[in-house]
């Protein structure tokens, strides 16, 4: 897919649009019947290349962060995860009028976790323990692959979009435990 987009750029027969965006992107880690829910945010950049009338391929990168904080009378627990995602989204531009378009999209999104940790602090004694999610003895995989789908409503250069990402890979290395991720997202963007 990357070779196709590169060939289209070289050919010079396509029009490209660049968009910067920010999203609210909470994520759930589902293990068996239990779900661990995180707040999430992302900042990104995507380049959409038109390949045929109304059809495009958007490729780019985004920096995403998942976080969670829980406090009880005994403990304060903070969890953070930082990821880099590379969405490759096929889209179709449905022009409502000259300024307004509805653009459904679908495609894969490889994702690599840069870091992840759980920091636990005892409220009484103040002792702190930090666990690295991806340390030497970790059961978590850094790599994930998502299926992403949704729609973008574009008015002139402004974008309001939303969708769903479904983790396709088991992010837990243990043989008898399966952990998959998923989450909705909504965002605002500006096309340059």
């Amino acid at each position: 897919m990357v070779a196709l987009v590169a060939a289209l750029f070289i050919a010079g027969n396509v029009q490209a649009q660049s968009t910067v965006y920010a999203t609210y992107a909470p994520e759930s880690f589902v293990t068996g019947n239990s779900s661990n829910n995180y707040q999430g945010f992302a900042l990104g950049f995507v380049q959409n290349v038109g390949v045929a009338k109304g059809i495009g391929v958007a490729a780019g990168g985004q920096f995403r962060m998942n976080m969670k904080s829980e406090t009880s009378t005994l403990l304060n627990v903070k969890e953070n995860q930082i990821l880099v995602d590379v969405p490759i989204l096929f889209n179709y531009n449905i022009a409502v009028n000259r300024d307004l378009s509805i653009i459904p999209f679908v495609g894969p999104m490889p994702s690599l976790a840069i870091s992840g940790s759980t920091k636990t602090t005892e409220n009484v004694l103040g002792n702190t323990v930090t666990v690295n999610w991806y340390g030497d003895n970790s059961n978590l995989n850094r790599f994930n692959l998502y299926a992403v789908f949704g729609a973008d409503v574009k008015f002139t250069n402004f974008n309001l979009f939303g969708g769903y990402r479904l983790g396709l890979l088991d992010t837990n290395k243990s043989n008898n435990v399966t952990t998959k991720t998923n989450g909705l997202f909504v965002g605002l963007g500006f096309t340059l």
Side-chain angles (χ1 to χ4, degrees), residues 133-155:
W133 291 7
Y134 305 105
D136 293 336
N137 298 322
S138 171
N139 285 329
L140 295 176
N141 287 319
R142 289 181 183 269
F143 182 75
N144 200 356
L145 178 66
Y146 292 88
V148 177
F149 55 90
D152 178 13
V153 176
K154 183 178 177 185
F155 181 74

Side-chain angles (χ1 to χ4, degrees), residues 120-181:
T120 305
T121 304
E122 295 176 345
N123 290 337
V124 177
L125 300 175
N127 296 331
T128 300
V129 175
T130 301
V131 176
N132 180 357
W133 291 7
Y134 305 105
D136 293 336
N137 298 322
S138 171
N139 285 329
L140 295 176
N141 287 319
R142 289 181 183 269
F143 182 75
N144 200 356
L145 178 66
Y146 292 88
V148 177
F149 55 90
D152 178 13
V153 176
K154 183 178 177 185
F155 181 74
T156 62
N157 290 6
F158 297 95
N159 299 267
L160 173 63
F161 60 92
Y164 187 78
R165 66 186 180 284
L166 176 65
L168 302 175
L169 302 180
D170 180 7
T171 59
N172 196 312
K173 296 178 191 174
S174 300
N175 291 333
N176 49 355
V177 177
T178 300
T179 301
K180 292 195 175 182
T181 58

Side-chain angles (χ1 to χ4, degrees), residues 51-179:
V51 295
K53 186 163 178 67
I55 298 173
V57 178
Q62 74 178 12
F63 173 81
R64 185 162 49 101
M65 185 172 191
N66 292 323
M67 61 200 98
K68 181 178 182 180
S69 181
E70 294 179 334
T71 303
S72 68
T73 55
L74 297 176
L75 299 174
N76 184 6
V77 180
K78 292 183 179 180
E79 297 180 292
N80 292 297
Q81 182 187 36
I82 297 172
L83 308 107
V84 174
D85 303 323
V86 182
I88 304 166
L89 305 174
F90 300 92
N91 55 77
Y92 183 71
N93 188 340
I94 303 166
V96 176
N97 61 35
R98 189 173 145 190
D99 295 327
L100 180 66
S101 296
I102 298 172
I103 307 166
F105 56 83
V106 63
M109 185 176 75
S111 180
L112 181 66
I114 303 302
S115 67
S117 66
T118 301
K119 181 179 178 182
T120 305
T121 304
E122 295 176 345
N123 290 337
V124 177
L125 300 175
N127 296 331
T128 300
V129 175
T130 301
V131 176
N132 180 357
W133 291 7
Y134 305 105
D136 293 336
N137 298 322
S138 171
N139 285 329
L140 295 176
N141 287 319
R142 289 181 183 269
F143 182 75
N144 200 356
L145 178 66
Y146 292 88
V148 177
F149 55 90
D152 178 13
V153 176
K154 183 178 177 185
F155 181 74
T156 62
N157 290 6
F158 297 95
N159 299 267
L160 173 63
F161 60 92
Y164 187 78
R165 66 186 180 284
L166 176 65
L168 302 175
L169 302 180
D170 180 7
T171 59
N172 196 312
K173 296 178 191 174
S174 300
N175 291 333
N176 49 355
V177 177
T178 300
T179 301

